[in-house]
Amino acid sequence: MSHELQHDPPCLEYQEVCKTWIRILKTLREDNASLINRLAAALKETARRSFVEEAEEFQLAMLAREESMVLLRHEIGEQLAWLEKQPANVAAPHSFSVLKNDVQGMMQEHEKVKVAFLIFIAAEKV
């Protein structure tokens, strides 16, 4: 499948967009790691089975999101490398619109899980 820049931003602008996406993912990964550490600390303070079971669900979601963020960062890195070289007769590895939607979706999903997690943690401390 060919992904050309026909409806994409100009090359230099697209490179900056990719670099921004990589920074966003770095921030999300750091925040995700902080949430995982907070979850581990909360688990040390309780032995309530229902809390532990729900905490496990959050942990699995956070770990899956971490894996997805790493994969998305790799895809953006591939796109950035292609943009920097622009090899003749070699199509872009990924579609701009797909990457853009993936980054936006990752940000939305992160916020959704983060808010649910913070509510969960706050309820345990009450």
Side-chain angles (χ1 to χ4, degrees):
M1 181 183 292
S2 174
H3 301 293
E4 297 177 9
L5 292 176
Q6 294 170 351
H7 301 291
D8 297 342
C11 186
L12 289 176
E13 182 181 331
Y14 194 0
Q15 288 176 355
E16 289 306 312
V17 169
C18 286
K19 290 175 185 176
T20 298
W21 290 340
I22 288 173
R23 287 191 299 271
I24 288 169
L25 290 173
K26 180 179 187 267
T27 301
L28 292 178
R29 289 183 68 205
E30 289 169 353
D31 194 34
N32 195 52
S34 174
L35 294 175
I36 291 170
N37 289 336
R38 190 165 176 186
L39 177 61
L43 284 168
K44 289 179 183 178
E45 297 176 13
T46 187
R48 224 170 32 84
R49 182 171 175 81
S50 61
F51 178 83
V52 172
E53 288 172 355
E54 195 167 350
E56 185 176 291
E57 290 178 29
F58 276 107
Q59 180 185 30
L60 292 173
M62 291 173 191
L63 292 174
R65 219 172 46 257
E66 169 67 16
E67 188 176 315
S68 295
M69 284 187 264
V70 169
L71 178 59
L72 183 54
R73 187 197 184 291
H74 176 74
E75 290 174 353
I76 294 168
E78 288 177 336
Q79 193 77 353
L80 187 56
W82 178 84
L83 285 165
E84 290 169 350
K85 293 177 184 162
Q86 289 269 326
N89 300 321
V90 176
H94 305 283
S95 162
F96 173 80
S97 61
V98 170
L99 289 176
K100 179 180 177 184
N101 289 339
D102 287 351
V103 171
Q104 290 173 341
M106 187 67 66
M107 291 167 54
Q108 292 169 352
E109 177 66 19
H110 177 78
E111 284 305 310
K112 181 177 127 186
V113 172
K114 180 179 178 176
V115 167
F117 173 73
L118 293 175
I119 291 169
F120 168 69
I121 290 294
E124 178 62 17
K125 294 190 178 197
V126 172

